[in-house]
Amino acid sequence: RKSHGTLPMADALARSLNQATARLGMKVGLENVVNTFQQLGLKKEIPPYPSILLGAVDASPLEVASMYQTIASQGFATPLRAIEAVTTARGSTLSSYAIEGEQRFDPQKISWLRYGMEQVALRGTAKRLDKELGGPLAAKTGTSDDQRDAWFAGFDNRYLGVMWVGRDDNQPMPFAGSSAALPIWLNTFKQVGVEPLQPDSELIWLPIDKQGNQLQDGCSGKLYPFVSERVQVQRNGC
């Protein structure tokens, strides 16, 4: 119930700050946001209303998983399948389904997005993951109006999981994404085992000031990653 002012996008993502998210989305443009949803793999029609910037999109867990799969695969979109192959009782393959997909995003830009999702698990709304599983892991919590829907999506170096918790009569619940969907994800990944995400060397790390507004000279300030094509700097070994 207050404004947090100007801050880095990664911090807004980690802390689920709605005002910054909505402001960014309106500046980028609703049509561009809709196009990105579709590039990620959501096939349904999305009305270009400002509410979509905070996740007001009617989608099933499978549809949400298809979008996060593109992020987890460095921008390579692959249709999700429930069946990998059909075999005989003795194990002979009768038919199989080859992996099909395409590179839809620049891997470096997806790496920047993944950094933001890693901050969610490290110090943001899903920091419980870092305490109990270690990391780095990528994650995002989500809660709809009146807590009718609780979402959690996250992935490690091998697996992606998307959890939704809600009532079949669409009534409010006393739970948010971090208190309802996250524990289910956490318990699942404790059972299958976690393989931390591998460090990304494609991004440029530069110091910025405390307000998150300006690049700093020298090595003072907190380091944040940048997409190399967006910055022209002389590396100084910091």
Side-chain angles (χ1 to χ4, degrees), residues 168-182:
D168 56 8
D169 59 3
N170 199 34
Q171 292 300 304
M173 308 178 298
F175 303 108
S178 59
S179 58
L182 187 155

Side-chain angles (χ1 to χ4, degrees), residues 21-235:
T21 302
R23 186 183 183 95
L24 173 64
M26 294 303 292
K27 188 172 183 177
V28 169
L30 293 173
E31 291 294 342
N32 288 326
V33 174
V34 169
N35 291 338
T36 301
F37 269 121
Q38 294 171 341
Q39 272 189 282
L40 285 170
L42 190 60
K43 296 181 179 179
K44 62 175 55 182
E45 184 177 347
I46 305 171
Y49 300 144
S51 57
I52 67 172
L53 302 174
L54 300 181
V57 178
D58 185 20
S60 70
L62 183 63
E63 290 171 320
V64 173
S66 71
M67 293 189 291
Y68 276 97
Q69 182 276 329
T70 303
I71 298 172
S73 298
Q74 291 292 293
F76 190 84
T78 304
L80 300 186
R81 298 186 183 277
I83 300 174
E84 182 177 290
V86 178
T87 66
T88 66
R90 295 185 177 183
S92 299
T93 300
L94 296 176
S95 61
S96 61
Y97 303 91
I99 295 177
E100 300 175 353
E102 61 177 325
Q103 190 73 42
R104 295 184 179 175
F105 293 91
D106 180 344
Q108 193 179 49
K109 294 175 182 176
I110 293 294
S111 294
W112 185 93
L113 175 60
R114 196 189 80 176
Y115 165 80
M117 294 181 65
E118 289 176 5
Q119 301 311 298
V120 177
L122 177 64
R123 57 185 176 87
T125 55
K127 59 185 178 182
R128 178 178 172 185
L129 296 188
D130 186 69
K131 294 179 179 179
E132 298 194 32
L133 295 178
L137 303 171
K140 189 68 188 79
T141 58
T143 309
S144 65
D145 286 350
D146 298 323
Q147 298 181 320
R148 285 182 168 83
D149 302 273
W151 288 91
F152 189 82
F155 57 87
D156 65 0
N157 203 46
R158 296 183 301 168
Y159 298 116
L160 161 72
V162 173
M163 305 297 175
W164 170 81
V165 177
R167 292 168 55 113
D168 56 8
D169 59 3
N170 199 34
Q171 292 300 304
M173 308 178 298
F175 303 108
S178 59
S179 58
L182 187 155
I184 300 173
W185 190 98
L186 179 62
N187 184 61
T188 302
F189 274 70
K190 281 182 177 179
Q191 295 183 50
V192 301
V194 168
E195 183 176 304
L197 292 166
Q198 299 301 305
D200 194 290
S201 60
E202 297 295 321
L203 301 174
I204 294 177
W205 293 81
L206 300 170
I208 65 172
D209 61 22
K210 292 182 179 180
Q211 290 72 37
N213 296 336
Q214 302 291 333
L215 291 173
Q216 293 279 85
D217 293 328
C219 299
S220 61
K222 183 177 180 179
L223 293 177
Y224 278 87
F226 290 83
V227 177
S228 60
E229 70 177 45
R230 296 294 182 183
V231 292
Q232 297 294 329
V233 296
Q234 182 176 357
R235 300 192 181 197

